[in-house]
Amino acid sequence: MRRYARITGTGSYLPPRRLTNQDLAADLAQRGIETSDEWIVERTGIHARHFAAPEVASSDLALEACRKALEAAGRQAQDIDLIIVATSTPDMVFPSTACILQNKLGANGCAAFDVQAVCSGFVYALTVADAMIQSGAASRALVVGAEVFSRILDFNDRTTCVLFGDGAGAVVLEASEQPGILASDLHADGKHVGILCVPGNVYGGQVLGDPLLKMDGQAVFKLAVGVLEKAARATLDKAGLTDADIDWLIPHQANIRIMQSTARKLGLSMDKVVVTVDQHGNTSAASIPLALDHGVRSGQVLPGQTVLLEGVGGGFTWGAVLLKM
């Protein structure tokens, strides 16, 4: 009998500090940077985002999201035999944020590691966990996206600092006789490294390069729309399904215009798209699991429905996962 991987619980967490566009505009004005709610909304669809306190790390956000996912799945931390954390803002250079999270959860002993694919990270991590469960290498996994992107923003660059926020989302993925994850499709193209990156590193206790986020917005937009459609169609083809079989599209929450364009190319109305970018901003690897949990807890995404997850991020990475809830 074939072994599948199925999501049995979802969870998410946003730090308490919520900044509206007006709040952020006031903060930026003190730096001599001009922006406005209208300017941000028109270009991105974002109205607010959450920023973590200075002492709060990605693992802290992940911990709260995981606790909620475990509760939803009816599981304890000790039931987990695999933890994968997708993050571009780890707690430290090493060990992995997954190992730090494991200890905070009290799930010590199981395999734990990070995946770094920026905004596509959760799709990558979910695909890896699915493969490990199908192979028998794991039976019950926590797959997490967690970010504190506020730490790497250049608040003198209004084209990027208004886009991002902090948060975490998690799912419990379990072995099942019933199909859960139906298909996935992952890609990367390193020749586009420069259009979205943080070009810095640590050497001898000093930061070399620039430790703040850099982005060519127009180049990212143009590339994202094309590759997301291709990944979505490739994933549907692998599952033997079509656009008409999608109940919900949950894309990476980067920019409402990218999301609208992708939905249009797939022949989906925005009524079939879970949207959280307006209140969360772009939370990178956390955005898809945050949106999935929102969809589940709001009663939009229901058991038995077919959901397409897709993400695109620095690297340049992109991919999609098709699943049955």
Side-chain angles (χ1 to χ4, degrees):
M1 184 176 295
R2 183 174 173 184
R3 181 180 171 101
Y4 296 96
R6 191 177 189 93
I7 290 175
T8 58
T10 67
S12 62
Y13 181 74
L14 294 162
R17 185 187 176 204
R18 180 177 182 269
L19 276 83
T20 65
N21 289 343
Q22 292 91 338
D23 295 332
L24 188 57
D27 289 347
L28 293 176
Q30 296 180 3
R31 297 170 174 262
I33 308 297
E34 291 187 13
T35 191
S36 67
D37 176 62
E38 294 77 16
W39 188 89
I40 298 169
V41 172
E42 179 185 351
R43 287 161 178 78
T44 69
I46 297 168
H47 292 267
R49 76 287 293 147
H50 292 250
F51 282 177
E55 68 278 7
V56 174
S58 288
S59 66
D60 295 314
L61 304 182
L63 176 64
E64 299 304 322
C66 287
R67 284 173 171 166
K68 292 178 181 178
L70 287 165
E71 181 182 15
R75 298 295 183 185
Q76 302 294 318
Q78 295 80 7
D79 298 326
I80 298 300
D81 59 10
L82 173 65
I83 300 172
I84 306 178
V85 175
T87 186
S88 297
T89 52
D91 289 21
M92 54 183 75
V93 173
F94 70 82
S96 68
T97 300
C99 285
I100 297 169
L101 170 65
Q102 181 196 57
N103 189 50
K104 290 178 178 180
L105 278 169
N108 306 69
C110 70
F113 58 91
D114 289 355
V115 167
Q116 220 289 37
V118 199
C119 304
S120 305
F122 184 76
V123 169
Y124 268 65
L126 195 60
T127 301
V128 172
D130 172 46
M132 292 183 69
I133 287 175
Q134 285 195 51
S135 74
S139 293
R140 204 168 286 131
L142 271 171
V143 186
V144 190
E147 303 281 17
V148 284
F149 250 60
S150 58
R151 312 282 164 83
I152 57 172
L153 298 180
D154 181 354
F155 287 97
N156 291 310
D157 178 5
R158 71 169 183 168
T159 65
T160 58
C161 71
V162 301
L163 301 178
F164 296 90
D166 303 339
V171 302
V172 176
L173 192 69
E174 300 195 42
S176 172
E177 295 179 358
Q178 300 298 316
I181 294 182
L182 305 177
S184 61
D185 189 63
L186 301 179
H187 297 275
D189 190 343
K191 73 171 175 281
H192 299 293
V193 163
I195 66 175
L196 178 55
C197 61
V198 177
N201 58 69
V202 178
Y203 181 86
Q206 302 293 320
V207 174
L208 296 184
D210 192 331
L212 302 178
L213 183 145
K214 308 298 176 188
M215 182 173 73
D216 181 340
Q218 289 188 337
V220 169
F221 185 96
K222 183 178 179 180
L223 188 59
V225 171
V227 299
L228 285 174
E229 181 191 7
K230 290 178 182 177
R233 296 204 180 282
T235 306
L236 287 165
D237 287 346
K238 290 178 183 179
L241 300 177
T242 69
D243 305 353
D245 295 307
I246 300 171
D247 292 306
W248 289 101
L249 173 64
I250 305 182
H252 166 48
Q253 309 282 315
N255 181 310
I256 193 64
R257 291 159 56 203
I258 294 176
M259 296 162 64
Q260 290 168 338
S261 179
T262 303
R264 188 164 54 248
K265 287 177 178 290
L266 294 174
L268 299 175
S269 76
M270 287 302 290
D271 292 338
K272 285 194 167 188
V273 181
V274 176
V275 177
T276 57
V277 68
D278 56 330
Q279 296 303 316
H280 299 174
N282 180 346
T283 54
S284 190
S287 80
I288 292 174
L290 272 166
L292 175 60
D293 185 55
H294 171 79
V296 169
R297 292 176 186 266
S298 66
Q300 293 174 283
V301 178
L302 300 173
Q305 290 187 325
T306 301
V307 179
L308 180 66
L309 314 177
E310 57 176 12
V312 60
F316 211 73
T317 63
W318 65 94
V321 172
L322 189 69
L323 58 89
K324 183 80 69 174
M325 292 300 293

PDB file of all heavy atoms in Angstrom, residues 12-15 50-52 57-58 61-62 65 86-87 89 144-150 165-169 280 282-287 289-290:
ATOM      1  N   SER A  12      -0.208  29.336  13.299  1.00  0.00           N
ATOM      2  CA  SER A  12       0.550  30.530  12.906  1.00  0.00           C
ATOM      3  C   SER A  12       0.669  31.476  14.087  1.00  0.00           C
ATOM      4  O   SER A  12      -0.049  31.349  15.083  1.00  0.00           O
ATOM      5  CB  SER A  12      -0.119  31.247  11.724  1.00  0.00           C
ATOM      6  OG  SER A  12      -1.417  31.699  12.061  1.00  0.00           O
ATOM      7  N   TYR A  13       1.595  32.412  13.942  1.00  0.00           N
ATOM      8  CA  TYR A  13       1.799  33.395  15.006  1.00  0.00           C
ATOM      9  C   TYR A  13       2.371  34.670  14.413  1.00  0.00           C
ATOM     10  O   TYR A  13       3.282  34.632  13.584  1.00  0.00           O
ATOM     11  CB  TYR A  13       2.758  32.859  16.071  1.00  0.00           C
ATOM     12  CG  TYR A  13       2.996  33.824  17.200  1.00  0.00           C
ATOM     13  CD1 TYR A  13       2.020  34.044  18.172  1.00  0.00           C
ATOM     14  CD2 TYR A  13       4.181  34.551  17.283  1.00  0.00           C
ATOM     15  CE1 TYR A  13       2.228  34.951  19.197  1.00  0.00           C
ATOM     16  CE2 TYR A  13       4.391  35.463  18.307  1.00  0.00           C
ATOM     17  CZ  TYR A  13       3.419  35.659  19.265  1.00  0.00           C
ATOM     18  OH  TYR A  13       3.626  36.559  20.274  1.00  0.00           O
ATOM     19  N   LEU A  14       1.819  35.794  14.861  1.00  0.00           N
ATOM     20  CA  LEU A  14       2.311  37.115  14.487  1.00  0.00           C
ATOM     21  C   LEU A  14       2.725  37.861  15.749  1.00  0.00           C
ATOM     22  O   LEU A  14       2.004  37.826  16.750  1.00  0.00           O
ATOM     23  CB  LEU A  14       1.219  37.916  13.765  1.00  0.00           C
ATOM     24  CG  LEU A  14       0.781  37.388  12.404  1.00  0.00           C
ATOM     25  CD1 LEU A  14      -0.559  37.983  12.004  1.00  0.00           C
ATOM     26  CD2 LEU A  14       1.831  37.696  11.342  1.00  0.00           C
ATOM     27  N   PRO A  15       3.880  38.513  15.743  1.00  0.00           N
ATOM     28  CA  PRO A  15       4.273  39.281  16.933  1.00  0.00           C
ATOM     29  C   PRO A  15       3.263  40.390  17.210  1.00  0.00           C
ATOM     30  O   PRO A  15       2.612  40.893  16.286  1.00  0.00           O
ATOM     31  CB  PRO A  15       5.648  39.836  16.558  1.00  0.00           C
ATOM     32  CG  PRO A  15       5.734  39.743  15.072  1.00  0.00           C
ATOM     33  CD  PRO A  15       4.862  38.611  14.660  1.00  0.00           C
ATOM     34  N   HIS A  50       3.516  43.175  10.864  1.00  0.00           N
ATOM     35  CA  HIS A  50       3.905  42.992  12.262  1.00  0.00           C
ATOM     36  C   HIS A  50       5.419  42.911  12.361  1.00  0.00           C
ATOM     37  O   HIS A  50       6.065  42.263  11.537  1.00  0.00           O
ATOM     38  CB  HIS A  50       3.292  41.709  12.832  1.00  0.00           C
ATOM     39  CG  HIS A  50       1.806  41.764  12.981  1.00  0.00           C
ATOM     40  ND1 HIS A  50       1.173  41.807  14.200  1.00  0.00           N
ATOM     41  CD2 HIS A  50       0.818  41.801  12.054  1.00  0.00           C
ATOM     42  CE1 HIS A  50      -0.129  41.861  14.030  1.00  0.00           C
ATOM     43  NE2 HIS A  50      -0.372  41.846  12.727  1.00  0.00           N
ATOM     44  N   PHE A  51       5.985  43.573  13.383  1.00  0.00           N
ATOM     45  CA  PHE A  51       7.423  43.527  13.637  1.00  0.00           C
ATOM     46  C   PHE A  51       7.670  42.915  15.016  1.00  0.00           C
ATOM     47  O   PHE A  51       7.011  43.275  15.996  1.00  0.00           O
ATOM     48  CB  PHE A  51       8.044  44.927  13.602  1.00  0.00           C
ATOM     49  CG  PHE A  51       8.273  45.478  12.214  1.00  0.00           C
ATOM     50  CD1 PHE A  51       8.766  46.775  12.061  1.00  0.00           C
ATOM     51  CD2 PHE A  51       8.006  44.747  11.071  1.00  0.00           C
ATOM     52  CE1 PHE A  51       8.984  47.317  10.802  1.00  0.00           C
ATOM     53  CE2 PHE A  51       8.219  45.269   9.804  1.00  0.00           C
ATOM     54  CZ  PHE A  51       8.710  46.557   9.661  1.00  0.00           C
ATOM     55  N   ALA A  52       8.635  42.029  15.085  1.00  0.00           N
ATOM     56  CA  ALA A  52       8.999  41.403  16.350  1.00  0.00           C
ATOM     57  C   ALA A  52       9.825  42.350  17.211  1.00  0.00           C
ATOM     58  O   ALA A  52      10.554  43.210  16.701  1.00  0.00           O
ATOM     59  CB  ALA A  52       9.778  40.117  16.091  1.00  0.00           C
ATOM     60  N   ALA A  57      13.346  36.069  18.503  1.00  0.00           N
ATOM     61  CA  ALA A  57      14.003  35.458  17.350  1.00  0.00           C
ATOM     62  C   ALA A  57      13.011  34.651  16.521  1.00  0.00           C
ATOM     63  O   ALA A  57      11.873  34.402  16.939  1.00  0.00           O
ATOM     64  CB  ALA A  57      15.136  34.550  17.830  1.00  0.00           C
ATOM     65  N   SER A  58      13.473  34.211  15.358  1.00  0.00           N
ATOM     66  CA  SER A  58      12.620  33.391  14.492  1.00  0.00           C
ATOM     67  C   SER A  58      12.116  32.146  15.221  1.00  0.00           C
ATOM     68  O   SER A  58      10.964  31.738  15.059  1.00  0.00           O
ATOM     69  CB  SER A  58      13.381  32.977  13.234  1.00  0.00           C
ATOM     70  OG  SER A  58      13.565  34.068  12.353  1.00  0.00           O
ATOM     71  N   LEU A  61       9.004  32.850  17.344  1.00  0.00           N
ATOM     72  CA  LEU A  61       7.774  32.925  16.550  1.00  0.00           C
ATOM     73  C   LEU A  61       7.360  31.521  16.115  1.00  0.00           C
ATOM     74  O   LEU A  61       6.179  31.160  16.166  1.00  0.00           O
ATOM     75  CB  LEU A  61       7.980  33.813  15.330  1.00  0.00           C
ATOM     76  CG  LEU A  61       8.462  35.254  15.574  1.00  0.00           C
ATOM     77  CD1 LEU A  61       8.561  36.006  14.251  1.00  0.00           C
ATOM     78  CD2 LEU A  61       7.533  35.988  16.531  1.00  0.00           C
ATOM     79  N   ALA A  62       8.340  30.725  15.681  1.00  0.00           N
ATOM     80  CA  ALA A  62       8.074  29.363  15.234  1.00  0.00           C
ATOM     81  C   ALA A  62       7.477  28.512  16.354  1.00  0.00           C
ATOM     82  O   ALA A  62       6.581  27.684  16.121  1.00  0.00           O
ATOM     83  CB  ALA A  62       9.356  28.726  14.721  1.00  0.00           C
ATOM     84  N   ALA A  65       3.756  29.137  16.681  1.00  0.00           N
ATOM     85  CA  ALA A  65       3.038  28.565  15.544  1.00  0.00           C
ATOM     86  C   ALA A  65       2.970  27.044  15.649  1.00  0.00           C
ATOM     87  O   ALA A  65       1.932  26.430  15.364  1.00  0.00           O
ATOM     88  CB  ALA A  65       3.708  28.983  14.233  1.00  0.00           C
ATOM     89  N   ALA A  86      11.976  26.524   7.463  1.00  0.00           N
ATOM     90  CA  ALA A  86      12.358  27.365   6.337  1.00  0.00           C
ATOM     91  C   ALA A  86      12.520  28.794   6.847  1.00  0.00           C
ATOM     92  O   ALA A  86      11.576  29.360   7.401  1.00  0.00           O
ATOM     93  CB  ALA A  86      11.294  27.321   5.242  1.00  0.00           C
ATOM     94  N   THR A  87      13.716  29.341   6.699  1.00  0.00           N
ATOM     95  CA  THR A  87      13.962  30.712   7.163  1.00  0.00           C
ATOM     96  C   THR A  87      15.167  31.310   6.448  1.00  0.00           C
ATOM     97  O   THR A  87      16.104  30.592   6.088  1.00  0.00           O
ATOM     98  CB  THR A  87      14.179  30.753   8.686  1.00  0.00           C
ATOM     99  OG1 THR A  87      14.287  32.121   9.119  1.00  0.00           O
ATOM    100  CG2 THR A  87      15.433  29.993   9.105  1.00  0.00           C
ATOM    101  N   THR A  89      16.185  34.213   8.038  1.00  0.00           N
ATOM    102  CA  THR A  89      16.594  35.042   9.182  1.00  0.00           C
ATOM    103  C   THR A  89      16.762  34.138  10.403  1.00  0.00           C
ATOM    104  O   THR A  89      16.002  34.223  11.364  1.00  0.00           O
ATOM    105  CB  THR A  89      15.553  36.146   9.453  1.00  0.00           C
ATOM    106  OG1 THR A  89      14.238  35.547   9.556  1.00  0.00           O
ATOM    107  CG2 THR A  89      15.548  37.177   8.339  1.00  0.00           C
ATOM    108  N   VAL A 144       7.872  24.243   9.073  1.00  0.00           N
ATOM    109  CA  VAL A 144       7.691  25.589   9.608  1.00  0.00           C
ATOM    110  C   VAL A 144       8.309  26.628   8.674  1.00  0.00           C
ATOM    111  O   VAL A 144       9.362  26.393   8.072  1.00  0.00           O
ATOM    112  CB  VAL A 144       8.387  25.715  10.988  1.00  0.00           C
ATOM    113  CG1 VAL A 144       8.013  27.028  11.669  1.00  0.00           C
ATOM    114  CG2 VAL A 144       8.075  24.524  11.873  1.00  0.00           C
ATOM    115  N   GLY A 145       7.650  27.772   8.555  1.00  0.00           N
ATOM    116  CA  GLY A 145       8.249  28.952   7.951  1.00  0.00           C
ATOM    117  C   GLY A 145       8.268  30.047   8.995  1.00  0.00           C
ATOM    118  O   GLY A 145       7.224  30.343   9.590  1.00  0.00           O
ATOM    119  N   ALA A 146       9.435  30.624   9.272  1.00  0.00           N
ATOM    120  CA  ALA A 146       9.541  31.643  10.327  1.00  0.00           C
ATOM    121  C   ALA A 146      10.534  32.712   9.917  1.00  0.00           C
ATOM    122  O   ALA A 146      11.632  32.385   9.455  1.00  0.00           O
ATOM    123  CB  ALA A 146       9.968  31.009  11.647  1.00  0.00           C
ATOM    124  N   GLU A 147      10.165  33.973  10.098  1.00  0.00           N
ATOM    125  CA  GLU A 147      11.031  35.069   9.659  1.00  0.00           C
ATOM    126  C   GLU A 147      10.931  36.281  10.581  1.00  0.00           C
ATOM    127  O   GLU A 147       9.848  36.583  11.113  1.00  0.00           O
ATOM    128  CB  GLU A 147      10.654  35.544   8.249  1.00  0.00           C
ATOM    129  CG  GLU A 147      10.682  34.481   7.170  1.00  0.00           C
ATOM    130  CD  GLU A 147      12.085  34.147   6.657  1.00  0.00           C
ATOM    131  OE1 GLU A 147      13.075  34.494   7.327  1.00  0.00           O
ATOM    132  OE2 GLU A 147      12.169  33.538   5.577  1.00  0.00           O
ATOM    133  N   VAL A 148      12.069  36.966  10.746  1.00  0.00           N
ATOM    134  CA  VAL A 148      12.104  38.305  11.349  1.00  0.00           C
ATOM    135  C   VAL A 148      12.783  39.227  10.322  1.00  0.00           C
ATOM    136  O   VAL A 148      13.894  39.706  10.542  1.00  0.00           O
ATOM    137  CB  VAL A 148      12.816  38.313  12.722  1.00  0.00           C
ATOM    138  CG1 VAL A 148      11.913  37.737  13.801  1.00  0.00           C
ATOM    139  CG2 VAL A 148      14.133  37.559  12.680  1.00  0.00           C
ATOM    140  N   PHE A 149      12.103  39.444   9.218  1.00  0.00           N
ATOM    141  CA  PHE A 149      12.675  40.220   8.121  1.00  0.00           C
ATOM    142  C   PHE A 149      12.905  41.683   8.490  1.00  0.00           C
ATOM    143  O   PHE A 149      13.685  42.374   7.825  1.00  0.00           O
ATOM    144  CB  PHE A 149      11.780  40.126   6.874  1.00  0.00           C
ATOM    145  CG  PHE A 149      12.385  39.317   5.764  1.00  0.00           C
ATOM    146  CD1 PHE A 149      12.712  37.981   5.964  1.00  0.00           C
ATOM    147  CD2 PHE A 149      12.642  39.869   4.523  1.00  0.00           C
ATOM    148  CE1 PHE A 149      13.277  37.220   4.950  1.00  0.00           C
ATOM    149  CE2 PHE A 149      13.208  39.127   3.503  1.00  0.00           C
ATOM    150  CZ  PHE A 149      13.532  37.798   3.714  1.00  0.00           C
ATOM    151  N   SER A 150      12.240  42.147   9.545  1.00  0.00           N
ATOM    152  CA  SER A 150      12.443  43.537   9.964  1.00  0.00           C
ATOM    153  C   SER A 150      13.898  43.803  10.325  1.00  0.00           C
ATOM    154  O   SER A 150      14.349  44.954  10.287  1.00  0.00           O
ATOM    155  CB  SER A 150      11.540  43.869  11.157  1.00  0.00           C
ATOM    156  OG  SER A 150      11.801  42.988  12.249  1.00  0.00           O
ATOM    157  N   GLY A 165       7.322  41.942   6.633  1.00  0.00           N
ATOM    158  CA  GLY A 165       6.917  41.826   8.020  1.00  0.00           C
ATOM    159  C   GLY A 165       7.460  40.553   8.624  1.00  0.00           C
ATOM    160  O   GLY A 165       8.135  39.757   7.959  1.00  0.00           O
ATOM    161  N   ASP A 166       7.169  40.336   9.907  1.00  0.00           N
ATOM    162  CA  ASP A 166       7.644  39.182  10.655  1.00  0.00           C
ATOM    163  C   ASP A 166       6.475  38.258  10.988  1.00  0.00           C
ATOM    164  O   ASP A 166       5.336  38.704  11.139  1.00  0.00           O
ATOM    165  CB  ASP A 166       8.301  39.629  11.962  1.00  0.00           C
ATOM    166  CG  ASP A 166       9.454  40.608  11.744  1.00  0.00           C
ATOM    167  OD1 ASP A 166      10.002  40.627  10.628  1.00  0.00           O
ATOM    168  OD2 ASP A 166       9.793  41.341  12.693  1.00  0.00           O
ATOM    169  N   GLY A 167       6.772  36.973  11.142  1.00  0.00           N
ATOM    170  CA  GLY A 167       5.735  36.014  11.523  1.00  0.00           C
ATOM    171  C   GLY A 167       6.200  34.594  11.330  1.00  0.00           C
ATOM    172  O   GLY A 167       7.320  34.344  10.878  1.00  0.00           O
ATOM    173  N   ALA A 168       5.326  33.662  11.674  1.00  0.00           N
ATOM    174  CA  ALA A 168       5.642  32.236  11.513  1.00  0.00           C
ATOM    175  C   ALA A 168       4.367  31.457  11.257  1.00  0.00           C
ATOM    176  O   ALA A 168       3.289  31.802  11.749  1.00  0.00           O
ATOM    177  CB  ALA A 168       6.341  31.693  12.750  1.00  0.00           C
ATOM    178  N   GLY A 169       4.511  30.391  10.480  1.00  0.00           N
ATOM    179  CA  GLY A 169       3.418  29.465  10.230  1.00  0.00           C
ATOM    180  C   GLY A 169       3.961  28.058  10.243  1.00  0.00           C
ATOM    181  O   GLY A 169       5.137  27.830   9.933  1.00  0.00           O
ATOM    182  N   HIS A 280      -0.453  41.299   6.670  1.00  0.00           N
ATOM    183  CA  HIS A 280       0.811  40.723   7.135  1.00  0.00           C
ATOM    184  C   HIS A 280       2.028  41.287   6.415  1.00  0.00           C
ATOM    185  O   HIS A 280       3.150  41.148   6.908  1.00  0.00           O
ATOM    186  CB  HIS A 280       0.822  39.200   6.915  1.00  0.00           C
ATOM    187  CG  HIS A 280      -0.246  38.467   7.652  1.00  0.00           C
ATOM    188  ND1 HIS A 280      -0.476  37.109   7.489  1.00  0.00           N
ATOM    189  CD2 HIS A 280      -1.147  38.892   8.581  1.00  0.00           C
ATOM    190  CE1 HIS A 280      -1.485  36.744   8.275  1.00  0.00           C
ATOM    191  NE2 HIS A 280      -1.901  37.799   8.936  1.00  0.00           N
ATOM    192  N   ASN A 282       4.812  41.055   3.339  1.00  0.00           N
ATOM    193  CA  ASN A 282       5.563  39.908   2.837  1.00  0.00           C
ATOM    194  C   ASN A 282       6.373  39.323   3.991  1.00  0.00           C
ATOM    195  O   ASN A 282       7.337  39.940   4.447  1.00  0.00           O
ATOM    196  CB  ASN A 282       6.477  40.354   1.694  1.00  0.00           C
ATOM    197  CG  ASN A 282       7.299  39.233   1.093  1.00  0.00           C
ATOM    198  OD1 ASN A 282       7.413  38.150   1.651  1.00  0.00           O
ATOM    199  ND2 ASN A 282       7.902  39.507  -0.056  1.00  0.00           N
ATOM    200  N   THR A 283       5.995  38.134   4.448  1.00  0.00           N
ATOM    201  CA  THR A 283       6.712  37.496   5.556  1.00  0.00           C
ATOM    202  C   THR A 283       7.614  36.367   5.050  1.00  0.00           C
ATOM    203  O   THR A 283       7.951  35.433   5.789  1.00  0.00           O
ATOM    204  CB  THR A 283       5.734  36.947   6.608  1.00  0.00           C
ATOM    205  OG1 THR A 283       4.787  36.092   5.963  1.00  0.00           O
ATOM    206  CG2 THR A 283       5.008  38.081   7.315  1.00  0.00           C
ATOM    207  N   SER A 284       8.000  36.438   3.787  1.00  0.00           N
ATOM    208  CA  SER A 284       8.945  35.504   3.173  1.00  0.00           C
ATOM    209  C   SER A 284       8.507  34.054   3.388  1.00  0.00           C
ATOM    210  O   SER A 284       7.385  33.692   3.067  1.00  0.00           O
ATOM    211  CB  SER A 284      10.355  35.770   3.685  1.00  0.00           C
ATOM    212  OG  SER A 284      11.318  35.040   2.957  1.00  0.00           O
ATOM    213  N   ALA A 285       9.362  33.201   3.946  1.00  0.00           N
ATOM    214  CA  ALA A 285       9.041  31.782   4.074  1.00  0.00           C
ATOM    215  C   ALA A 285       7.833  31.522   4.963  1.00  0.00           C
ATOM    216  O   ALA A 285       7.231  30.448   4.903  1.00  0.00           O
ATOM    217  CB  ALA A 285      10.249  31.022   4.615  1.00  0.00           C
ATOM    218  N   ALA A 286       7.459  32.496   5.781  1.00  0.00           N
ATOM    219  CA  ALA A 286       6.301  32.320   6.672  1.00  0.00           C
ATOM    220  C   ALA A 286       4.983  32.625   5.985  1.00  0.00           C
ATOM    221  O   ALA A 286       3.917  32.266   6.503  1.00  0.00           O
ATOM    222  CB  ALA A 286       6.453  33.212   7.904  1.00  0.00           C
ATOM    223  N   SER A 287       5.016  33.258   4.816  1.00  0.00           N
ATOM    224  CA  SER A 287       3.773  33.801   4.254  1.00  0.00           C
ATOM    225  C   SER A 287       2.779  32.727   3.846  1.00  0.00           C
ATOM    226  O   SER A 287       1.579  32.862   4.088  1.00  0.00           O
ATOM    227  CB  SER A 287       4.076  34.734   3.078  1.00  0.00           C
ATOM    228  OG  SER A 287       4.331  34.028   1.884  1.00  0.00           O
ATOM    229  N   PRO A 289       2.472  29.379   4.954  1.00  0.00           N
ATOM    230  CA  PRO A 289       1.811  28.715   6.084  1.00  0.00           C
ATOM    231  C   PRO A 289       0.949  29.651   6.922  1.00  0.00           C
ATOM    232  O   PRO A 289      -0.063  29.217   7.486  1.00  0.00           O
ATOM    233  CB  PRO A 289       2.978  28.142   6.894  1.00  0.00           C
ATOM    234  CG  PRO A 289       4.168  28.955   6.501  1.00  0.00           C
ATOM    235  CD  PRO A 289       3.936  29.307   5.060  1.00  0.00           C
ATOM    236  N   LEU A 290       1.315  30.938   7.003  1.00  0.00           N
ATOM    237  CA  LEU A 290       0.452  31.912   7.673  1.00  0.00           C
ATOM    238  C   LEU A 290      -0.888  32.018   6.959  1.00  0.00           C
ATOM    239  O   LEU A 290      -1.954  31.999   7.586  1.00  0.00           O
ATOM    240  CB  LEU A 290       1.123  33.290   7.700  1.00  0.00           C
ATOM    241  CG  LEU A 290       2.043  33.619   8.873  1.00  0.00           C
ATOM    242  CD1 LEU A 290       2.873  34.865   8.558  1.00  0.00           C
ATOM    243  CD2 LEU A 290       1.231  33.846  10.143  1.00  0.00           C
TER     244      LEU A 290
END
